[in-house]
Amino acid sequence: MKHTRRVVITGMGAITPLGHTPKELYANQLEGKSGAGPTFRFDARTFPTKFSSQVKGFELGKYIRNPERFDKSGLNTKFALAAAKDALADAGLLDNPKVDRTMIGVYLGSGEGSHDFPNLTLSMALVTPADGYKVDTTGFFQHSMSLFDGAHEHEVEMHTTSGHVANEFDLRGPNYTCQTACAASGQALGEALELIRRGDADAMITGGSHSMIHPFGVTGFNLLTTLSQRNDDPTKASRPFDLNRDGFVLGEGAGMVVLEELEHAKKRGATIHAELVGYGTTADAYRVTDSHPEGRGAIKCIKLALENAGLKPTDIGYVNAHGTSTHVNDLAETIAIKNVFGEYAYKLPISSIKSMLGHLICAAGVVEMVTSVLTIRHGVLPPTINYETPDPECDLDYVPNVAREVKVDRILSNSFGFGGQNVSLIVSKYVA
Amino acid sequence: MAGIARRAVFTGVGLITPVGSTPAAYWESLCAGRSGIRRISCVDPSELFSQIGGETPDFIPKKIISNKEHLKGLRLMARTVQMGLASSHLAFQNSGLELGKFDPERAGVEFGAGMIASELDDIGKGAQVSLEPSKDSVSLAVWGEKGLKEVPPLWMLKYLPNMPSCHTSITLDLRGPSNTITGSDAASLLALSEAYHILLRDGADLFFAGGAESKMNPLSLTRHNLFQELSRRNHEPETAVKPFDRDRDGSVLGEAAGCVVLEELSHAKARGARIDGELVGFASGVDCDRDGKGFALVIRRALKQAGIGPNDVDHVNAQGHGTVRGDRWEARAINDVFGTNTPVWSIKANIGASGAASSMVELIGSILALKHGQLPPTLNHVNPDPECPVWVHNRGLRPVTKPYAVKMSFTDAGQIAVAVIRKWEE
C-alpha cells in the first residue's frame, strides 16, 4: 500500500527495569541481562510469586519541576511523564515554539494507577462476617468514605496519564488512551501512525506505561496461574520458547516514541531514527483466556502489516516477538510466523526481549519498538535469554542467549493481548 | 487511496439506559422529558454525599444474550461488561446483520471503557481473613498466603476494561480490529472516531462501536463521590441535574450502555440495510488553558472535516454535566463557535453520568432526533447563567431545521472529542 504521508520516528524515551534511557536499555539487552529480582514495590514474600522485573532508582524530579504535583498519581503516570520528556527532548520538540502544538497529539496504551490496597481491603475486612462472603455495603461506605483519598482515586483512572502528558508538555492535538492489555502500546503506535497519515496531526507522542506490580495485580495474575513461580531463581524465570517455561514475569515501565510526518521532520531538521512503515491489527474472536491454537488472528495480523507496508515476507530481517514465556502464546506465535513466512521462517531470527525485561503489559509493545529501532541502527540482535532446552514445538531460530551481529533493515514487532487483540508493526531503516 | 471516498453510516442501535432500553422507548422518554434519576436502590446510599442516580434495574442480561454458549460466560463478567455485551447484541439484532453473511475479518469492535470496579463480595472474604488482630489494617503477609485463595480464580477477567470489546468480538465473531478506549465521558465517542477512520481507510467494512459503564456498585460509588462533582440535591432527584443553569451543583452517577453499528455506505447498501444517519466529521484535542479557546478549535476542526460551517448545525448535543466549572468551560467553547444561535441540548438530566457509556448513549439521542425531525428538551434548565452564554433548548419539541448535529464530550483532564453527524439522505 502506498501512503502519501510517510511517518518517521524522531524521538525516543524509555523507563525500564534495564535502564532509564533507550541506550542503556539496549546495551543491557545485548549483554543478556535480566531485570528480575525480589519484589520490592510491596512485601510479596508470602505471595505465590515473590519476584518481578522492576524499575530501579527512578526519581520523577530528575525529569520535571515540582514532582510533588504527581504524588497522588500512580507509577504509570510518573513513568510516562519521564519517558515522554526524554522522547520530546530527543526529538527537539520540548518547548519548541516553532511548531504548531495543536498539531501534536498523544496516544498512549496505558494502564491504571495503583489501587489503594490497604484502605480498600480494610474497608471490606471490617464489615465482612467471618462465616460468609457477603460484605455489608453500608458499613463499607462508612469506612471507605473516610479512608479513601479522592485525589488518589481519580489518578487510578486510565485516561489521566495521557491528560497529564498533554498538559505538562503543552500537546494540544488528538488525545487517546487505549487499554488492550498486552497489545495496548503497540496498538497506540499503530493508530497514532494512521492519525498522522490521514493528516490529523503533524506529530504524536505515543507509547505506553504500566505497573501492575501491586498486590491486586499480582493477586489477579497468580490466580490465573499465568505468572512464573520460579522464586528460587528469578533471573531464569522468563524463558520464552524454552521447554521448561512456567509463565511470564511481571514487569513495569514506560516507553515513548515521537512519530512525525516526514516532511515536517525534514523541514525542521530533526534527526530521523527510523520509519514506521506497517501496521496490522485483528482480533482472535476465540476465547478470553487463550490465543487461537492455530494462530488465526496473529497470521492475519502479520499479513495485514506486511500489506500495509507494501512488503513481502522476505523483506523482514528479524522478528521482535511477543514471546511471553507462556506455553499458549509461544506456540501460537511460532505457528503464525511459520504460516506467514513459510520456509523463510527457519532462516528468520526471532527473539523475545521479555526474557530479560519481563512483561511490561501495556508498555511492552513500545519498549519492543524502541529496541527494534536501535537494533536497525546498530545491527546487533538482542537475544532470548534462558533458552536452554528447546521446545520441540517451537523450532525456529530464537537468537538463543547471546546477542548476534546481523545487519537488518526491517523488523516486525508483534504484540498479542489478553482477550485476543493482535497488533503487528513494521519498522524500517529510514531511506530518503 | 484512489477511487470514490468511503462514507460511514449508522445501521444499528443497541441501548440500555435508565429511561428506556430500546431506541423507541428511549426516544419516547426523551420527547416526554422523562428523568430516570431516583434515589439509588442497588445499595443503601445514606452514607454517600450524592444519594441519587440513574439506574437500570430492569436490565436482565440473559434476556438479551440468549445463546447457551454465551450465557455461561455471563458469570465471568462484571455488570459493566454484561451491559456492554448486551448493547452490542442489541445493536446486532437491530442492524439486520446475520452471522455468516458478512466477512468476519472485515468486521471490528471499538468500545469505550473505564476503570471497572470489583464487586466487594469477590474480595471481602480474602480481606476479612487477612485482618490484623488489632483491626486497624489488613496484613499483606496473610493476604498473600491465605486471603488471595479466597478470591475467585478468574476474578481479574471480570474487570479488565477490554472485556466488553473482547466478549463482543468473540460472541459475534468479529475478527477485524478490536480496541478499547478509555477517557471518562469521552471514551465511547473516541472509540467511535477510531472505528470511523478505520472504515474510511478501508481497514474494515463495519464496526460495533459502543461504550458501557455502571457506577452502581459500592466501590464506584465511593470513588466517584470522593472525586467527582456530584449534586447533593438528594431530596429532589428528578430536578437535581441542571445543565447550564445558574443553580447547578453537579452531576449524578448512572449506568448505561450504548452501541451502534457503523458501516461503510456501499456495504450497507449492498445488504439493503436501514440507514439511521451518517458520521461525517470528528476531531479531538486538549484545551491546556481551560479557557474554551482550545475547546472551540476542536469543534471547528470537526466542522471543517465535515465540510460545513456553524450555521449548518441543527443542534449541539453537549456534555452538559451540570457542574459549575465544566458547564462554564463548555458553554464558552460553544459560544465561541456558535454564538447563541444554535440550540444546545443535554441529556444528562435524564440519565445521569455513566462514564464510558455517556457520549455514545447521548450521540444516539441526536441520531434519533435528526431521524425523527424533532429535538427533545433539556430538563431542569430554568434560570440561565450569564457565565454560560448559550441557548439551551429547554421546552417542548423543536422541529429539526438543519441536517447536521454536533456531539461533544470532554474529560476533567481537558481532553475533548467532537463528532459531527448528518441526517441520512441519499
Side-chain angles (χ1 to χ4, degrees):
Chain A
M1 200 183 284
K2 190 97 182 117
H3 302 281
T4 48
R5 283 164 65 90
R6 293 169 66 184
V7 177
V8 292
I9 296 172
T10 55
M12 300 196 290
I15 304 294
T16 76
L18 287 174
H20 298 181
T21 63
K23 193 179 164 189
E24 196 188 344
L25 163 72
Y26 184 62
N28 280 324
Q29 292 184 70
L30 296 193
E31 288 180 33
K33 285 190 184 162
S34 167
T39 296
F40 57 75
R41 292 259 172 249
F42 67 96
D43 186 350
R45 282 175 296 179
T46 60
F47 281 64
T49 297
K50 309 173 203 312
F51 65 96
S52 53
S53 183
Q54 296 152 105
V55 171
K56 289 119 199 134
F58 173 76
E59 283 173 48
L60 184 59
K62 286 186 186 163
Y63 300 87
I64 58 166
R65 282 189 301 270
N66 309 325
E68 64 281 0
R69 290 176 293 149
F70 298 98
D71 281 352
K72 302 282 170 88
S73 304
L75 280 172
N76 58 335
T77 288
K78 294 175 187 172
F79 292 155
L81 287 165
K85 162 94 191 270
D86 280 354
L88 287 164
D90 183 30
L93 288 174
L94 206 59
D95 307 319
N96 181 338
K98 290 184 190 155
V99 294
D100 177 358
R101 302 200 85 85
T102 70
M103 288 298 282
I104 306 179
V106 182
Y107 200 135
L108 304 187
S110 66
E112 70 291 341
S114 41
H115 287 281
D116 186 351
F117 180 88
N119 288 317
L120 176 51
T121 51
L122 180 61
S123 300
M124 281 187 266
L126 292 171
V127 295
T128 307
D131 56 350
Y133 284 81
K134 202 93 189 124
V135 181
D136 168 37
T137 52
T138 305
F140 172 77
F141 286 134
Q142 281 164 354
H143 294 294
S144 61
M145 287 291 287
S146 60
L147 287 170
F148 285 22
D149 175 337
H152 171 92
E153 291 303 322
H154 184 242
E155 290 296 314
V156 175
E157 298 289 317
M158 290 155 285
H159 68 281
T160 54
T161 303
S162 64
H164 286 312
V165 170
N167 285 297
E168 186 68 18
F169 303 112
D170 196 28
L171 309 171
R172 300 170 180 235
N175 193 291
Y176 286 76
T177 302
C178 70
Q179 217 314 1
T180 46
C182 327
S185 56
Q187 201 147 0
L189 260 70
E191 292 300 333
L193 164 72
E194 295 290 356
L195 264 157
I196 298 172
R197 278 177 174 169
R198 71 173 181 256
D200 283 354
D202 294 332
M204 295 288 293
I205 181 140
T206 172
S209 185
H210 211 172
S211 175
M212 293 187 79
I213 307 176
H214 51 70
F216 281 131
V218 175
T219 293
F221 284 125
N222 263 155
L223 288 167
L224 290 171
T225 65
T226 50
L227 288 185
S228 167
Q229 297 188 20
R230 203 177 289 262
N231 292 312
D232 54 344
D233 204 356
T235 63
K236 296 272 184 197
S238 184
R239 36 203 315 126
F241 308 107
D242 182 277
L243 185 65
N244 300 317
R245 62 198 180 279
D246 75 325
F248 73 85
V249 172
L250 191 54
E252 63 178 5
M256 296 285 164
V257 298
V258 173
L259 296 183
E260 188 167 358
E261 193 271 322
L262 176 62
E263 296 307 317
H264 190 268
K266 282 189 350 198
K267 206 174 288 174
R268 63 182 193 87
T271 304
I272 296 173
H273 297 315
E275 179 173 0
L276 191 57
V277 294
Y279 165 51
T281 179
T282 63
D284 272 6
Y286 178 61
R287 282 184 194 162
V288 171
T289 43
D290 304 318
S291 321
H292 189 272
E294 284 137 38
R296 183 175 73 192
I299 291 167
K300 179 75 185 176
C301 183
I302 299 170
K303 285 182 177 170
L304 284 173
L306 286 166
E307 189 185 311
N308 187 254
L311 295 173
K312 44 186 198 306
T314 49
D315 291 329
I316 302 297
Y318 159 69
V319 177
N320 191 301
H322 186 55
T324 53
S325 179
T326 59
H327 183 259
V328 274
N329 172 81
D330 294 356
L331 183 58
E333 188 168 14
T334 297
I335 291 170
I337 290 170
K338 285 184 192 173
N339 181 294
V340 176
F341 292 91
E343 275 304 302
Y344 180 63
Y346 291 89
K347 298 184 192 128
L348 179 64
I350 300 157
S351 68
S352 168
I353 61 170
K354 290 191 179 77
S355 61
M356 299 174 277
L357 279 167
H359 193 338
L360 273 54
I361 314 292
C362 282
V366 63
V367 171
E368 285 153 21
M369 177 54 64
V370 167
T371 302
S372 297
V373 169
L374 293 174
T375 302
I376 288 173
R377 189 192 294 167
H378 297 286
V380 189
L381 311 181
T384 304
I385 65 165
N386 301 323
Y387 185 81
E388 291 166 347
T389 314
D391 175 348
E393 289 185 294
C394 299
D395 56 351
L396 299 175
D397 171 8
Y398 302 106
V399 194
N401 304 314
V402 184
R404 187 188 299 168
E405 275 190 48
V406 182
K407 189 180 160 305
V408 287
D409 290 341
R410 294 179 202 89
I411 293 175
L412 169 72
S413 177
N414 292 327
S415 295
F416 303 136
F418 209 63
Q421 303 106 148
N422 308 299
V423 174
S424 292
L425 294 165
I426 298 171
V427 61
S428 169
K429 180 179 167 180
Y430 170 65
V431 183
Chain B
M1 246 174 283
I4 308 155
R6 290 164 64 86
R7 293 165 67 181
V9 291
F10 299 106
T11 57
V13 174
L15 276 168
I16 295 153
T17 86
V19 295
S21 296
T22 63
Y26 179 58
W27 176 245
E28 199 269 322
S29 287
L30 294 177
C31 290
R34 205 169 289 140
S35 165
I37 311 304
R38 308 273 182 275
R39 184 171 173 81
I40 290 170
S41 68
C42 66
V43 291
D44 171 5
S46 310
E47 300 291 330
L48 300 169
F49 303 136
S50 182
Q51 300 162 10
I52 54 180
E55 291 178 278
T56 61
D58 50 0
F59 167 60
I60 299 165
K62 59 185 179 207
K63 281 194 179 166
I64 299 162
I65 316 288
S66 45
N67 177 310
K68 265 192 197 147
E69 199 55 34
H70 305 156
L71 268 175
K72 284 190 294 187
L74 286 173
R75 68 192 159 81
L76 296 180
M77 299 177 206
R79 184 171 172 84
T80 288
V81 182
Q82 292 176 341
M83 293 180 82
L85 182 62
S87 74
S88 63
H89 280 244
L90 288 169
F92 177 76
Q93 290 156 19
N94 184 261
S95 70
L97 283 164
E98 290 174 63
L99 291 180
K101 292 200 175 166
F102 62 92
D103 179 356
E105 291 190 341
R106 297 276 298 172
V109 54
E110 287 268 354
F111 252 74
M115 197 69 232
I116 303 178
S118 177
E119 289 159 26
L120 300 187
D121 294 344
D122 277 355
I123 38 181
K125 183 72 176 176
Q128 191 271 325
V129 303
S130 311
L131 188 62
E132 294 278 17
S134 59
K135 300 203 174 190
D136 59 0
S137 64
V138 163
S139 159
L140 201 51
V142 180
W143 170 276
E145 197 185 339
K146 289 187 196 154
L148 175 151
K149 293 182 187 129
E150 298 288 344
V151 180
L154 300 178
W155 171 67
M156 189 185 250
L157 294 182
K158 278 171 80 170
Y159 307 105
L160 292 176
N162 56 335
M163 284 299 125
S165 65
C166 289
H167 285 293
T168 296
S169 76
I170 291 166
T171 55
L172 296 175
D173 196 25
L174 312 172
R175 303 182 207 168
S178 165
N179 203 359
T180 295
I181 308 295
T182 61
S184 185
D185 290 61
S188 48
L189 208 56
L190 290 165
L192 177 75
S193 77
E194 196 161 282
Y196 172 56
H197 288 297
I198 296 173
L199 288 179
L200 296 193
R201 70 178 189 244
D202 201 10
D205 295 330
L206 64 94
F207 263 95
F208 286 77
E213 190 156 357
S214 173
K215 310 279 196 195
M216 292 299 135
N217 61 79
L219 185 51
S220 291
L221 287 169
T222 291
R223 295 182 64 242
H224 286 271
N225 264 270
L226 291 173
F227 70 70
Q228 199 167 335
E229 188 180 335
L230 298 176
S231 172
R232 301 189 182 196
R233 286 201 171 86
N234 294 324
H235 53 289
E236 43 181 9
E238 296 202 1
T239 54
V241 181
K242 300 179 184 298
F244 306 108
D245 185 281
R246 191 183 67 191
D247 300 321
R248 66 193 183 277
D249 81 326
S251 203
V252 303
L253 298 171
E255 59 177 355
C259 181
V260 293
V261 175
L262 188 70
E263 190 168 357
E264 193 275 320
L265 178 60
S266 66
H267 191 271
K269 281 186 169 173
R271 70 176 183 91
R274 181 197 77 238
I275 297 175
D276 294 327
E278 181 177 6
L279 182 57
V280 292
F282 181 85
S284 142
V286 182
D287 188 348
C288 292
D289 306 319
R290 303 293 201 287
D291 60 2
K293 297 270 182 224
F295 198 143
L297 175 69
V298 180
I299 301 171
R300 288 197 173 90
R301 281 187 173 163
L303 294 175
K304 190 178 169 200
Q305 200 178 84
I308 62 167
N311 291 329
D312 299 314
V313 175
D314 179 74
H315 66 271
V316 173
N317 184 324
Q319 174 141 312
H321 254 153
T323 55
V324 175
R325 280 189 302 175
D327 281 15
R328 190 169 59 204
W329 178 44
E330 186 175 24
R332 280 182 188 166
I334 295 170
N335 181 276
D336 192 314
V337 179
F338 298 97
T340 52
N341 299 320
T342 307
V344 174
W345 181 32
S346 165
I347 306 179
K348 283 292 187 315
N350 303 75
I351 60 174
S354 47
S358 287
S359 50
M360 181 58 74
V361 170
E362 291 158 15
L363 175 78
I364 291 170
S366 278
I367 295 173
L368 295 172
L370 292 182
K371 188 173 170 172
H372 292 288
Q374 288 177 313
L375 182 66
T378 303
L379 304 186
N380 310 332
H381 178 84
V382 180
N383 298 306
D385 179 357
E387 293 271 301
C388 298
V390 288
W391 166 25
V392 178
H393 169 60
N394 63 348
R395 232 167 275 157
L397 296 172
R398 185 191 141 83
V400 164
T401 56
K402 296 169 183 175
Y404 296 91
V406 166
K407 171 64 203 155
M408 54 181 68
S409 189
F410 58 85
T411 75
D412 40 18
Q415 298 140 314
I416 298 146
V418 180
V420 184
I421 62 170
R422 193 177 74 99
K423 182 186 175 78
W424 177 246
E425 288 159 349
E426 275 302 326

